[in-house]
Amino acid sequence: MPVALQRTRAERPGNPFDLRNERAYREWRAAKLARYPASLSDLVVRVRDPRALTREERQALADRCGRANMAIYASPYTAPDKELPRLLACQFGLTRLDHNWLADDDGISSVTVAGEAGRGDYIPYTNRAIRWHTDGYYNPPDRRIRAMILHCVNEAATGGENALLDHEIAYLQLRDADPEFVAALMQPDAMTIPARTDDAGVVRAAETGPVFSVDPDSGVLHMRYTARTRSIEWKDDKAVRDAVAGLERILAGASPCIHRVTLQPGMGLLCNNVLHDRSAFTDGPARPRLIFRARYYDRIQVDTG
Ligand SMILES: [Fe+2]
């Protein structure tokens, strides 16, 4: 077979994430920036019932996901209904739930302050700030988190704000700063999450992989990242160190592409696992902050279906 026919889609001319393809990148870049939501309000879609969207509501959410890999819905539905994220997800082709060990039996996590024991050892289940990351960065490739939903049941008394940045924009800004940064972070050994062990031994094996990768079948960009400085080993070379510093500058800056939201009851984030953080928060005495989180191996279908 000729070599050209053996190329995967990610390598074919036309993929903007291929560093050798400047022309495709320039065209994609211009279109991406022209369509990217300029403000948080451009991301928000008011819906009557996330469990059963109207055609127009679904199209409006899909439009935002197509432009920014994320959308925020705002609904009057405030009941603590764990079926909600699952039913919403189904309307966008999200069916393969990641059952991580901290999720409840149904695969949907109730993210709330858990106290000192068990889940409380893990930062999402505390009221502390969480630095920039994509979800499941420690997962092996066969459990890659491509999409997720965060649904707010109760908000915090203060704090609990999420910053959001489309990972494609992070790629774009990093490539604009220096294409070598992107090349460094596409190395298959760029980032290692060490094994997690407990008294019984290894609970999760070490996971080594790139930060940015392009799916060979779909040509879609995936990002695996955490800004935490403990329990992470970056490849020990200057190119990776410089690239990580470049990415940190982008995330710490005042990019107009970073949008911030404090989810209120009935609101939620539907996204293709974009970069996000969480500010510290305090709970009121009556209703602790409660977020349902569902993670999927599928990517959001944005067709108008
Ligand atoms: Fe997260």
Side-chain angles (χ1 to χ4, degrees), residues 7-245:
R7 284 181 169 180
T8 62
R9 189 164 170 179
E11 296 166 327
R12 267 181 234 144
N15 189 298
F17 306 119
D18 180 348
L19 281 169
R20 298 163 299 186
N21 197 332
E22 187 64 15
R23 183 174 162 189
Y25 172 67
R26 288 286 146 200
E27 289 175 1
W28 169 83
R29 180 186 182 282
K32 180 81 188 180
L33 291 175
R35 299 184 68 221
Y36 194 77
S39 66
L40 177 69
S41 61
D42 289 344
L43 277 179
V44 178
V45 176
R46 301 203 171 276
V47 305
R48 186 185 53 81
D49 184 350
R51 300 170 301 171
L53 300 169
T54 66
R55 184 180 175 82
E56 291 72 23
E57 290 168 348
R58 188 194 176 283
Q59 284 180 346
L61 289 167
D63 168 71
R64 272 65 171 184
C65 291
R67 289 157 58 196
N69 280 307
M70 60 181 147
I72 291 165
Y73 59 88
S75 82
Y77 193 85
T78 56
D81 179 4
K82 290 187 79 180
E83 280 293 282
L84 185 148
R86 198 182 62 75
L87 292 171
L88 173 64
C90 285
Q91 297 169 78
F92 292 91
L94 306 177
T95 57
R96 294 182 298 157
L97 259 173
D98 179 52
H99 284 253
N100 83 75
W101 71 289
L102 288 173
D104 301 342
D105 288 346
D106 55 11
I108 296 175
S109 301
S110 300
V111 181
T112 193
V113 174
E116 292 306 310
R119 291 179 180 186
D121 296 338
Y122 293 87
I123 194 167
Y125 298 93
T126 70
N127 63 356
R128 301 205 303 271
I130 307 175
R131 302 175 76 168
W132 284 102
H133 65 283
T134 57
D135 271 28
Y137 57 83
Y138 39 77
N139 278 13
D142 64 331
R143 290 180 51 215
R144 183 165 285 171
I145 305 301
R146 296 184 177 84
M148 66 151 175
I149 291 173
L150 295 178
H151 175 78
C152 178
V153 180
N154 296 330
E155 82 280 34
T158 62
E161 177 188 75
N162 293 113
L164 305 166
L165 179 63
D166 183 350
H167 56 291
E168 290 183 3
I169 293 287
Y171 173 99
L172 182 157
Q173 294 182 339
L174 200 64
R175 184 161 167 175
D176 283 359
D178 188 341
E180 291 298 323
F181 290 166
V182 173
L185 295 185
M186 283 186 145
Q187 296 179 94
D189 56 352
M191 183 174 111
T192 295
I193 306 301
R196 184 162 54 75
T197 57
D198 65 12
D199 296 344
V202 174
V203 177
R204 175 180 43 68
E207 201 54 51
T208 297
V211 173
F212 291 112
S213 58
V214 181
D215 185 278
D217 297 321
S218 65
V220 164
L221 182 75
H222 183 78
M223 185 173 188
R224 178 175 164 267
Y225 176 71
T226 174
R228 65 183 300 175
T229 52
R230 288 189 303 164
S231 300
I232 178 167
E233 294 168 5
W234 291 103
K235 183 178 181 179
D236 187 16
D237 78 22
K238 183 175 184 311
V240 169
R241 281 194 295 275
D242 290 350
V244 170

